[in-house]
Amino acid sequence: MRKVILSLLVTLLLTSMVLPGFAAGPTTLTFWTFQELHKTFMDDAVETWNKNNPKQQIQLKTEVYPFDQMHNKLLISLQSGVGAPDLADIEISKFANYLKGRNPQLVPLNKIIEPIMDKLIKARFDNYAKDGKYYGIDYHVGATVMFYNKEYLDQAGVNVDQIITWDDYVEAGKKVVAATGKPMTTVEVTEHWTFYPMLSQYGTDIFKPNGDVILDNADNTKVLTFIKDMIYKHEIAVPAPGGFHHAEEYWAFMNQGGAASLMMPLWFMGRFVQYMPDLKGNIIIRPLPVWKPGGDRSAGMGGTGTVVTKQTKHQDLAVRFLEAAKISREGAIKTWTLLGFDPLRWDVWDAPEMREDNMYTDYFGKDIFTMLLEIKDEINPTVITDKYPLAIDLLKKNVCFKALRELSQTPEEALKEAAKELRQ
Amino acid sequence: MNKKKKASLLSFFNSPKTAPYVFVAPFILFFLVCYVYPFIKTIIMSTQQIFGFNDVEYIGFNNYRRLLNPHFFNALKTTSSYTFWTIMVLIPLPIILAVFLNNPATKGKNFFKSALFMPALTSVIVAGIFFRYSFGEQPTTLVNTLVGFFGMKPRVWLQERGPAMLALVVLCTWRWLGVNIIYFLSGLQAIPQEIYEAAAIDGANAWNRFFRITLPSLKPVIIYVVTISIHGGYSMFAESFAFWQTHTPGDIGMTIVSYLYQMGFNDFNMGFAAAIGITLLFIVMLINLIQLAFMGFFKKEGN
């Protein structure tokens, strides 16, 4: 008798373990990211997918790791052939690492990208391509803009729409400093989000398209010197507290109204909403001042490509889900409504949804998208090569720090030294 | 039949010839799989250029030749000075505290012992993040408030070479002080009380007793602590990572292991990273040997 009960129990236990697998339940996909916001976005995309595909339900298991940890874990699991997730986010400055070698361990996404290429911003896909194959889909265009603190500008009697060139910006900065005692802006000295957008906007780059290093050319030297002069000669800028615009010190400083303006890509709106709530209603967004009349008013910066790894067991499903989540019409619109990003699909930029209220319009006002449409053709592509991770690293650690903060090298020396190392 | 088999198996395990091997087998296996294999593999990797998945090329000593660059020498300098300062602080300070804790007149010994030991139980990253914020640059951070009491102006601690090193050594001291105290306490308790009594009868004062009896008797413990401190100092990584992640401004806090990590994972240059690792091994071994010889570890007893 006892045996019967026991065997019954065992069978029960076993079936309960096996059954969920058979219950035509949702397919589980795993997704690694380093950004909590991306998890929210993907969770929403899964909900939409499950509504549209009742027969092929998805359950997304998302792991949010710290930035470095996630990239290393992914690199090691791809290198060793086991343990990688189905989908993963790879930040642009790290992406080149995953494309090294003859056989990248990522699934080419041409099949979903090429049919709608005419509606997409090609430059943002070329960042993640190798040998004609596209391996990643970004979240945004990353147009760099200027966030102004309206209160300070009003106090100083500065009309924001009369700041046309960078020289105007410096003059306005002097008025702001005189009237409010606050610096006009902050400059990143341990990362590259001040120098890199400004050089891209100027029309120069780190590499030439053929891979030659041009980091130490005269244009780049001029841009870096200009930034240095803003801090030490015109005294309208300060090195960002904490060293960069993502430091906790910086958010605290800025939230208390630390500086009158800030240049960052549009996706920094999310950081304002999340970490600097006290500035709500006080920040207005404008295109960048230009270097010369008629020059470009923005630069496409940053980015994170979502990839499908070759280790996935549901390749087709993962790819189709990625398409629906990020480059379908609905998905592209969601990148704006949920994340406050400028979508990769031009054809949704004038969609009615883009004009609706959301937490970003609550914070920054309603005309963000009108302004964005204005500058959409003024974004230069950036050249990304195998050496890009090293180049960004050198910009962060050496060039910006030594030339702008430590002052142990002149802009020219710092750029020469970094370029020499990149050429090796 | 079955019984016979059991008996022979038993006698096999019980025989004085095999039993020792059976007992050490788990360790040997662990050692082979988790130490020897990765070690050999690392040596092989250090002679390769690894481009990607299943895409490897033999390049001889090129990775080692590439080590002759300013970043590596800077990391070597930073690591050496970190090791030097941690030893300078973490030998005398715990000895003094251990002597006080060992004194019968001290009250609340257990409280102090556990309070000093507690930090060793925290994770480096947790402690590191705590110190990262303590050493923040706003006037309201812990360290800036403290120096404010002495009339010093708030400063940017983690973007200058000297203060950055100070922050690293303070973190290390906070974490390891208690562990070293335990080592020295056990050393102190091994010193026979009679020697002190005899010295007291001969008229030796506390000062003399400390320098003539306590310190010489602690020598084996000191040698041990210095040895592990050198090893610990040269392999330091997590502290620097907690302060700056992988990009220390101007390399001010970049240790050899940070450099290895950066090359291996940031640049995905595993072969070069392996070469850094092997070089680090030989540097630490060399320094440890010199230090042991210098401290008379290899001298025979009675020489």
Side-chain angles (χ1 to χ4, degrees):
Chain A
M1 188 60 205
R2 206 184 259 173
K3 260 189 185 168
V4 177
I5 293 176
L6 198 74
S7 59
L8 265 176
L9 271 176
V10 169
T11 342
L12 205 73
L13 202 74
L14 278 177
T15 41
S16 69
M17 271 157 67
V18 175
L19 264 182
F22 282 117
T27 312
T28 302
L29 294 178
T30 48
F31 170 53
W32 288 0
T33 182
F34 52 88
Q35 179 48 261
E36 193 71 43
L37 286 170
H38 295 176
K39 177 184 179 334
T40 322
F41 174 77
M42 283 300 198
D43 285 347
D44 181 82
V46 169
E47 225 171 88
T48 315
W49 170 277
N50 285 342
K51 230 175 267 164
N52 296 341
N53 301 276
K55 283 193 180 151
Q56 197 164 28
Q57 301 273 300
I58 286 179
Q59 190 185 11
L60 194 69
K61 236 184 100 203
T62 308
E63 308 267 7
V64 185
Y65 294 106
F67 184 81
D68 267 308
Q69 198 187 331
M70 194 226 78
H71 286 98
N72 298 342
K73 240 176 116 101
L74 187 65
L75 200 56
I76 293 169
S77 51
L78 289 178
Q79 174 74 8
S80 59
V82 285
D86 300 298
L87 297 150
D89 273 353
I90 302 176
E91 208 260 347
I92 191 166
S93 69
K94 301 267 188 179
F95 209 90
N97 285 337
Y98 299 81
L99 297 184
K100 275 185 186 167
R102 278 165 301 182
N103 31 16
Q105 290 298 293
L106 307 173
V107 176
L109 303 169
N110 293 38
K111 159 174 102 171
I112 56 167
I113 293 173
E114 271 164 359
I116 50 165
M117 199 44 143
D118 54 326
K119 293 172 187 141
L120 301 171
I121 302 140
K122 190 166 177 294
R124 297 302 292 176
F125 289 83
D126 290 342
N127 286 340
Y128 308 106
K130 189 181 179 182
D131 303 330
K133 287 181 184 145
Y134 298 104
Y135 291 102
I137 297 182
D138 210 322
Y139 285 85
H140 56 65
V141 177
T144 306
V145 292
M146 191 68 84
F147 298 90
Y148 291 98
N149 186 322
K150 200 166 163 295
E151 199 185 313
Y152 290 155
L153 294 189
D154 290 346
Q155 271 179 42
V158 171
N159 178 355
V160 70
D161 294 314
Q162 277 168 7
I163 302 177
I164 308 294
T165 65
W166 277 107
D167 291 333
D168 297 342
Y169 180 82
V170 170
E171 289 315 310
K174 286 178 182 163
K175 282 187 205 160
V176 167
V177 173
T180 65
K182 304 279 179 187
M184 178 65 166
T185 189
T186 54
V187 166
E188 283 207 345
V189 292
T190 62
E191 286 208 0
H192 55 291
W193 298 106
T194 305
F195 180 43
Y196 193 33
M198 281 176 86
L199 73 85
S200 174
Q201 183 209 5
Y202 193 93
T204 160
D205 207 332
I206 304 171
F207 304 99
K208 268 200 223 168
N210 66 5
D212 286 354
V213 179
I214 51 166
L215 182 61
D216 55 348
N217 68 13
D219 293 343
N220 285 328
T221 313
K222 191 183 153 193
V223 172
L224 191 57
T225 310
F226 179 84
I227 299 172
K228 187 182 170 185
D229 286 347
M230 282 207 297
I231 310 176
Y232 299 101
K233 193 169 145 198
H234 307 302
E235 294 181 339
I236 61 154
V238 292
F244 60 112
H245 293 148
H246 281 85
E248 285 79 0
E249 283 102 330
Y250 185 76
W251 287 324
F253 164 87
M254 204 59 187
N255 194 31
Q256 290 157 15
S261 68
L262 162 68
M263 179 186 71
M264 277 305 269
L266 196 75
W267 45 256
F268 201 76
M269 284 199 304
R271 314 299 192 274
F272 270 105
V273 171
Q274 206 174 350
Y275 301 116
M276 294 166 262
D278 296 353
L279 295 176
K280 186 172 175 176
N282 240 337
I283 300 289
I284 50 173
I285 303 175
R286 289 291 179 277
L288 298 184
V290 293
W291 285 102
K292 51 184 182 291
D296 293 332
R297 287 178 294 168
S298 188
M301 281 292 128
T304 295
T306 309
V307 300
V308 177
T309 72
K310 277 200 176 158
Q311 287 175 29
T312 176
K313 291 199 176 68
H314 313 283
Q315 184 173 323
D316 185 55
L317 181 65
V319 170
R320 279 191 298 127
F321 168 65
L322 185 57
E323 178 189 19
K326 290 179 105 179
I327 50 174
S328 69
R329 226 186 125 78
E330 300 82 353
I333 290 170
K334 284 272 172 70
T335 54
W336 161 249
T337 53
L338 288 178
L339 295 172
F341 290 163
D342 29 7
L344 293 164
R345 276 180 80 127
W346 295 108
D347 66 332
V348 304
W349 281 38
D350 46 10
E353 289 94 332
M354 312 306 277
R355 296 178 203 289
E356 281 171 13
D357 286 353
N358 62 21
M359 59 177 155
Y360 300 103
T361 55
D362 287 351
Y363 194 109
F364 297 97
K366 290 194 185 250
D367 48 356
I368 311 166
F369 239 83
T370 330
M371 187 272 309
L372 269 183
L373 274 164
E374 232 176 82
I375 56 172
K376 76 181 162 80
D377 295 323
E378 302 182 24
I379 294 169
N380 290 317
T382 50
V383 178
I384 291 177
T385 69
D386 264 9
K387 294 215 167 146
Y388 192 75
L390 180 64
I392 293 297
D393 220 39
L394 287 172
L395 283 189
K396 286 178 177 177
K397 287 197 320 182
N398 293 17
V399 174
C400 293
F401 184 69
K402 288 182 179 169
L404 300 177
R405 173 73 176 76
E406 200 178 45
L407 303 183
S408 59
Q409 288 178 330
T410 65
E412 196 181 355
E413 285 164 359
L415 290 169
K416 281 239 148 65
E417 192 185 80
K420 196 178 142 210
E421 191 168 338
L422 284 174
R423 287 193 185 105
Q424 275 170 8
Chain B
M1 180 65 197
N2 215 349
K3 258 185 191 167
K4 245 187 203 168
K5 217 179 184 179
K6 254 187 194 164
S8 74
L9 211 65
L10 253 176
S11 71
F12 174 77
F13 280 120
N14 281 340
S15 97
K17 266 188 191 157
T18 47
Y21 295 103
V22 173
F23 281 118
V24 296
F27 168 74
I28 299 279
L29 273 178
F30 183 77
F31 180 73
L32 287 176
V33 175
C34 297
Y35 285 89
V36 178
Y37 169 73
F39 180 62
I40 294 169
K41 188 83 187 166
T42 311
I43 294 180
I44 296 170
M45 267 171 81
S46 74
T47 61
Q48 290 171 334
Q49 173 82 273
I50 296 164
F51 294 105
F53 188 70
N54 283 342
D55 191 355
V56 172
E57 188 186 308
Y58 172 77
I59 54 161
F61 284 96
N62 269 352
N63 280 330
Y64 290 94
R65 233 165 271 143
R66 271 196 58 197
L67 274 179
L68 305 171
N69 72 54
H71 297 294
F72 181 74
F73 287 116
N74 178 57
L76 189 61
K77 212 172 97 193
T78 309
T79 317
S80 303
S81 81
Y82 171 79
T83 312
F84 174 78
W85 288 113
T86 50
I87 291 175
M88 279 298 118
V89 175
L90 277 174
I91 301 290
L93 192 61
I95 290 184
I96 293 166
L97 289 171
V99 168
F100 281 121
L101 283 174
N102 200 36
N103 193 320
T106 311
K107 278 182 188 149
K109 267 189 218 173
N110 283 335
F111 169 74
F112 285 117
K113 264 191 226 168
S114 41
L116 287 167
F117 189 76
M118 211 74 90
L121 303 175
T122 57
S123 110
V124 201
I125 294 299
V126 173
I129 289 172
F130 171 73
F131 274 80
R132 150 87 182 78
Y133 292 134
S134 306
F135 280 97
E137 63 190 69
Q138 293 146 300
T140 49
T141 58
L142 180 65
V143 176
N144 274 336
T145 316
L146 285 179
V147 299
F149 292 141
F150 299 100
M152 281 165 72
K153 279 197 176 144
R155 64 184 304 167
V156 182
W157 293 91
L158 298 178
Q159 287 181 32
E160 281 173 67
R161 206 166 275 275
M165 183 58 69
L166 180 78
L168 285 172
V169 174
V170 167
L171 169 55
C172 179
T173 307
W174 180 80
R175 276 204 76 212
W176 294 111
L177 189 64
V179 178
N180 284 7
I181 287 177
I182 299 288
Y183 287 136
F184 289 122
L185 261 182
S186 65
L188 285 175
Q189 275 152 12
I191 306 173
Q193 210 50 44
E194 291 81 16
I195 306 181
Y196 286 107
E197 281 162 19
I201 291 165
D202 286 347
N205 59 16
W207 197 252
N208 275 331
R209 284 198 302 257
F210 178 74
F211 279 101
R212 302 278 168 107
I213 301 171
T214 313
L215 267 192
S217 315
L218 280 180
K219 195 176 156 193
V221 185
I222 295 177
I223 291 181
Y224 172 71
V225 174
V226 170
T227 312
I228 58 165
S229 300
I230 288 177
H231 175 257
Y234 273 90
S235 59
M236 188 272 273
F237 164 69
E239 285 87 347
S240 161
F241 186 82
F243 279 159
W244 299 282
Q245 275 82 54
T246 52
H247 43 92
T248 45
D251 290 349
I252 53 173
M254 188 178 77
T255 65
I256 299 180
V257 183
S258 317
Y259 189 46
L260 182 158
Y261 180 94
Q262 225 170 337
M263 288 295 118
F265 300 124
N266 261 15
D267 278 4
F268 195 34
N269 199 340
M270 295 287 183
F272 185 47
I276 299 173
I278 298 293
T279 312
L280 174 63
L281 174 76
F282 284 108
I283 291 174
V284 174
M285 228 152 74
L286 192 74
I287 292 174
N288 264 335
L289 284 178
I290 293 173
Q291 165 252 333
L292 289 174
F294 184 70
M295 293 183 108
F297 184 75
F298 299 118
K299 279 187 202 149
K300 283 194 179 131
E301 290 282 322
N303 264 11

